[in-house]
Amino acid sequence: MKSHVWRPLYVVIAIIAGLLLFREFYVPDTFGSGEYGFMYSYHNLENQEVWKNQPLKYQDTGKQKMHEYCGECHGDVVDIRTEDLHGIIPCENCHGPALEHPDEPELLVVNRERGVCLRCHTLLPYTTSERKRIPGINPNEHNVDEACVDCHDPHNPRLEDM
Amino acid sequence: MKRRDFLKNTIVAIAGASVPLSALEFIDPQEVLAANPDIHWAFLINTHTCVGCGFCVKACKTENDIPFEANVSRTWVERYVFTKDDRRYIDSPKAALYGFTDSKVDLGEHLGFKDIEPENVGKAFFVPKLCNHCEAPACTQVCPVGATYKTDDGIVLIDRSWCIGCGYCVMACPFGARFFHPVHNVVDKCTFCYHRITKDLETACVNACPFGARKMCNIRDINDPITKIILNDRVGVLKDEFGTKPQAFYIGLATEVR
């Protein structure tokens, strides 16, 4: 073949070789792929530990655990709640994430805004949804400018106990 | 070459070429066992029990440090309203971070809000969404730098130190689960709360759901009650036709939900 073919070809080969060499030094040794192979999981294997070590904020107070964590100290309040109605709501939904409570923070800020209650208790006319089981109000008509917790006890929301 | 030979050779060549490579591969039992590790995470969403309170979105944003004011979220809840005059309205205001506190439907930035008469509502329901952690994820396949990947237990994660922010994965995801993190300036998405599930805790959203609409399980453990529901009940996945094999299963999925 003539030199006008070889010359640019040498350049291309040199560039590819250079890239491969650069890659060899630049990519850390910790790179590899797991079971899903090169196509789906070529990555820095150490990064999985980074995600595993993210800090926890919420403690385990979900529906399955039923406020075990909070019940150790606040048992009296938890007892009222776990009977029915609001007992299904994890404490941290309204009181915020427990973090390291009671060490840090010592006190959790209680959110008294109407918005917390309105998440479920806004009247939406959806008879085909589970929403129909929840009593609802129109936030623009029902005691506007007043906090729900001034009249209703969120831990025991039964109207006859009000 | 004679015509007869030519035809003969052509037939042999076509027959040979049509044998798939995989048919010639011998199955190694050890390889099959290795490809079946003990843990593979899956998600189960019951759209019947969701009431759209949005506590899951709030918990997710808090747990994973996604700014509340930024209009991006790792998980979100969609509201579907079908009216009796055959119109469909779908919205998810602020990803349902504060729930659905208005019966008016958000039509979009320039279109305002649509007030729907209560007697005109035919059916309405809520659908929580999140990353599906697909078995064949399109997003990890397109990453040019190996920054997003699938772990052996089935979670799709992003390496924040390697992501160059090219956005290929954001475009590749058929479910719109990916977005740019406004603080870290790299792509971010649901991790199934990898730091929680690897410590035997529930994800923040599963933990926060008062109605049990969100559940998680190890789909390899056939004694897990949630796995049994996925195996025995009638569940569906979103956008099956894309072939990414989503691992988030839905009970009560409507065809209009995509």
Side-chain angles (χ1 to χ4, degrees), chain A residues 33-53:
Chain A
S33 44
E35 272 167 32
Y36 286 86
F38 183 80
M39 181 152 68
Y40 296 120
S41 78
Y42 183 66
H43 68 287
N44 189 348
L45 299 166
E46 284 174 355
N47 185 249
Q48 265 164 258
E49 297 306 313
V50 175
W51 283 109
K52 273 183 195 169
N53 296 330

Side-chain angles (χ1 to χ4, degrees), chain A residues 35-36 39-43 47 51-52 57-59 61-64 90 93 119 122 126 128 130-131, chain B residues 34 40 51 53-55 58 63 65 79 97 124 140-141 149-150 152 158-159 196 199 202 207-208:
Chain A
E35 272 167 32
Y36 286 86
M39 181 152 68
Y40 296 120
S41 78
Y42 183 66
H43 68 287
N47 185 249
W51 283 109
K52 273 183 195 169
K57 297 209 174 81
Y58 282 88
Q59 297 298 328
T61 63
K63 201 170 158 62
Q64 278 77 16
N93 277 14
R119 284 169 178 268
T122 303
Y126 304 155
T128 58
E130 193 71 349
R131 189 78 175 228
Chain B
H40 188 95
V51 302
C53 65
F55 274 129
K58 181 193 164 212
E63 178 76 26
D65 289 323
R79 163 167 66 180
L97 173 59
T140 68
Q141 202 179 345
Y149 56 93
K150 192 143 172 85
D152 290 352
I158 297 155
D159 188 338
R196 295 179 67 88
K199 294 186 189 87
E202 292 170 325
N207 190 53

